[in-house]
């Protein structure tokens, strides 16, 4: 009878979470825009269940983090953390409206942000009335951020507020997509840009100028060779895939016309490295190569050159064997497998860097993230609902 009742509660929670997901997907929170309409909505929904909330806006005031709390205002609570922004859909061949949650009858729910990572936020909102009605011995904190997708920019502001104001939580669960399995490590991220400055000339007279595009292309090829070397030298026992550091070039901009030597070319790249690697050491060969190119170009024409600039860094999440966060998530999921590692970056490393025991566990698969026709399996919503019910029970028994 108890199992049947539990299943009914789980099914109801999953249904509520799906409705919340429908509403959350409808907010276009692509990182280049504002997330305030979604924050307004989430804050109002949490307030219905007595949550005490605080906004942490960005400098421009067009985006905000949201911190909320349900339960006693004492130390030792659990943070449910998720980012509100999503990646663009521009140019992707979607077969349904990305801003409308679509059920095609195949056991999946389609829409931008379904797995990365509005489903976790929807589950947290669906569980809010259960947290509010329960006799919680420890509080639950809701931590929803902006601009994770462009370098985990919002989380540090939220974390500073979390550390300096109110009850101190004992652990953080970041709900990035892990198929509701425990993840204890992610790679660091270093985003950098390389700018090559050439000298314009007619394309029929390349000896009179320097094509920034041509020189940048050689640097991109060097990055490709360096990435291949890093991959071949990676530790075979690494839990990551790829096992070692990876480097890719995501953006390239340069030139004005096909018959003009490009005056400037700029490309943006990212390095993702396991905690065992110092990102600056990994970048050292590229820095040296850029410096040598800068010397050569300046010797030809003083106004030419090349420069590398690091734009953003995100720390890795490192395993904490037998940590409080790991122990709790194992107890909630029954996951007794060895710790898993993911190659994507996340805000988990930032929470850990602030002294919080932190793991990642959330619905959906990273394989569907950032893709056209992004989706989440309905079964993942159901597993997430069971997770939330177990968390209510755990916080009530503490």
């Amino acid at each position: 009878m108890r199992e049947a009742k539990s299943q009914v509660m789980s099914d109801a929670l999953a249904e509520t979470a799906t409705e919340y997901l429908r509403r959350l997907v409808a907010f276009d929170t692509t990182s280049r825009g504002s997330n305030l309409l979604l924050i307004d909505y989430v804050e109002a929904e949490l307030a219905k269940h007595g949550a005490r909330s605080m906004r942490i806006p960005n400098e421009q005031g067009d985006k905000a983090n949201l911190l909320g709390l349900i339960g006693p205002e004492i130390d030792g609570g659990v943070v449910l953390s998720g980012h509100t922004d999503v990646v663009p859909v521009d140019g992707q061949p979607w077969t349904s409206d990305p801003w409308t949650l679509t059920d095609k009858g195949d056991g999946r729910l389609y829409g931008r942000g379904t797995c990365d990572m509005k489903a976790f936020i929807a589950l947290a909102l669906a569980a809010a009335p259960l947290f509010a009605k329960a006799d919680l011995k420890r509080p639950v904190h809701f931590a929803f951020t902006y601009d994770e997708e462009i370098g985990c920019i919002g989380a540090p502001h939220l974390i500073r507020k979390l550390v300096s104001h109110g009850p101190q939580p004992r652990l953080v669960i970041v709900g990035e997509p892990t198929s509701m399995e425990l993840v204890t490590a992610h790679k660091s991220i270093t985003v950098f840009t390389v700018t090559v400055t050439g000298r314009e000339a007619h394309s029929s007279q390349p000896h009179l100028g320097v094509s920034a595009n041509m020189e940048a292309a050689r640097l991109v090829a060097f990055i490709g060779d360096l990435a291949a070397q890093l991959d071949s030298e990676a530790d075979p026992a690494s839990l990551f895939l790829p096992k070692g550091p990876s480097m890719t070039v995501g953006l390239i901009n340069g030139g004005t016309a096909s018959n003009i030597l490009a005056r400037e070319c700029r490309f943006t790249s990212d390095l993702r490295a396991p905690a065992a690697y110092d990102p600056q050491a990994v970048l050292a060969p590229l820095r040296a190569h850029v410096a040598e190119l800068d010397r050569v170009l300046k010797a030809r024409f003083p106004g030419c050159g090349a420069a590398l600039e690091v734009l953003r860094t995100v720390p890795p999440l490192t395993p904490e064997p037998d940590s409080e966060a790991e122990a709790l998530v194992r107890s909630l999921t029954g996951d007794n497998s060895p710790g898993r590692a993911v190659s994507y970056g996340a805000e988990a490393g930032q929470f850990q860097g602030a002294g919080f025991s932190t793991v990642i566990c959330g619905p959906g698969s990273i394989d569907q993230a950032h893709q056209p026709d992004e989706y989440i399996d309905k079964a993942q919503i159901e597993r997430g609902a069971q997770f939330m019910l177990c968390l209510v029970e755990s916080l009530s028994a503490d």
Side-chain angles (χ1 to χ4, degrees):
M1 181 68 72
R2 181 178 180 182
E3 288 184 3
K5 182 179 179 181
S6 177
Q7 187 61 53
V8 169
M9 292 179 64
S10 179
D11 291 345
L13 182 56
E15 184 177 347
T16 302
T18 299
E19 182 56 34
Y20 270 123
L21 182 58
R22 186 181 312 282
R23 298 175 188 178
L24 294 176
V25 165
F27 293 103
D28 178 354
T29 51
T30 306
S31 303
R32 63 182 172 228
S34 173
N35 73 335
L36 291 184
L37 290 178
L38 182 146
I39 291 295
D40 288 343
Y41 174 72
V42 170
E43 186 174 30
E45 289 302 302
L46 289 176
K48 292 178 182 178
H49 308 293
R52 287 81 78 194
S53 297
M54 173 191 306
R55 292 194 187 198
I56 304 98
N58 66 350
E59 290 185 3
Q60 295 75 26
D62 61 344
K63 300 180 183 183
N65 299 309
L66 183 68
L67 267 176
L69 182 145
I70 291 177
E73 296 199 20
I74 59 175
D75 294 345
V78 172
V79 176
L80 300 176
S81 173
H83 64 82
T84 63
D85 62 316
V86 297
V87 297
V89 299
D90 307 35
Q92 293 187 334
W94 283 75
T95 60
S96 59
D97 180 358
W99 310 114
T100 300
L101 191 70
T102 303
D103 185 344
K104 300 181 181 181
D106 56 0
R108 300 168 176 175
L109 298 171
Y110 294 83
R112 175 56 89 221
T114 46
C115 79
D116 187 19
M117 57 174 294
K118 290 180 176 179
F120 183 77
I121 298 175
L123 284 162
L125 290 176
L130 302 181
F131 288 122
K133 293 175 183 176
D135 181 20
L136 298 185
K137 303 301 188 297
R138 294 287 185 273
V140 58
H141 301 254
F142 303 88
F144 303 138
T145 62
Y146 65 85
D147 283 357
E148 187 271 352
E149 294 289 6
I150 55 175
C152 299
I153 293 171
H157 305 292
L158 178 146
I159 292 169
R160 283 196 291 271
K161 190 68 71 173
L162 187 63
V163 169
S164 62
H165 288 75
Q168 294 300 291
R170 63 188 170 102
L171 61 91
V172 178
I173 300 170
V174 177
E176 291 280 1
T178 69
S179 298
M180 291 309 302
E181 296 175 336
L182 174 67
V183 165
T184 59
H186 70 63
K187 291 183 177 181
S188 67
I189 309 174
T190 303
V191 181
F192 61 93
T193 186
V194 175
T195 304
V196 179
T197 304
R199 180 182 175 92
E200 291 170 318
H202 195 285
S203 61
S204 67
Q205 297 179 304
H207 60 290
L208 298 181
V210 172
S211 169
N213 285 352
M214 297 288 285
E215 299 301 332
R218 294 186 179 96
L219 289 177
V220 171
F222 182 85
I223 288 175
D225 292 341
L226 179 57
Q229 178 185 339
L230 291 167
D231 186 60
S232 67
E233 295 174 349
D235 181 0
S238 170
L239 296 176
F240 290 101
L241 188 66
K243 292 186 176 298
S246 64
M247 298 176 70
T248 61
V249 176
L251 291 170
I252 302 178
N253 292 286
T256 54
S258 63
N259 60 352
I260 302 174
L261 300 187
R263 184 181 65 82
E264 181 179 280
C265 184
R266 178 173 299 170
F267 62 85
T268 303
S269 178
D270 75 4
L271 161 67
R272 294 170 185 262
Y277 292 82
D278 176 3
Q280 296 308 315
V282 175
L283 284 177
L286 176 61
R287 283 190 181 277
H289 201 68
V290 171
E292 176 60 17
L293 176 62
D294 183 64
R295 184 191 67 78
V296 170
L297 294 182
K298 281 182 167 56
R300 290 183 61 187
F301 299 101
C304 296
L308 184 154
E309 178 187 4
V310 172
L311 302 179
R312 294 181 293 277
T313 59
V314 179
L317 175 68
T318 59
E320 304 172 58
D322 303 318
S323 71
E324 285 192 284
E326 182 175 335
L328 176 64
V329 170
R330 287 191 185 281
S331 72
L332 299 180
T333 61
D335 187 348
N336 294 314
S337 63
R340 298 177 183 83
V342 291
S343 293
Y344 59 75
E347 297 165 338
Q350 294 171 318
F351 280 102
Q352 186 182 64
F356 297 110
S357 177
T358 306
V359 295
I360 307 174
C361 184
S365 169
I366 195 63
D367 293 344
Q368 278 76 59
H370 300 191
Q371 303 294 317
D373 288 344
E374 177 184 348
Y375 69 83
I376 189 167
D377 288 315
K378 292 181 181 180
Q380 286 291 301
I381 301 287
E382 293 163 5
R383 288 187 65 180
Q386 293 166 2
F387 179 92
M388 290 296 172
L389 288 175
C390 290
L391 180 58
V392 173
E393 186 175 341
S394 176
L395 290 175
S396 301
D398 259 359

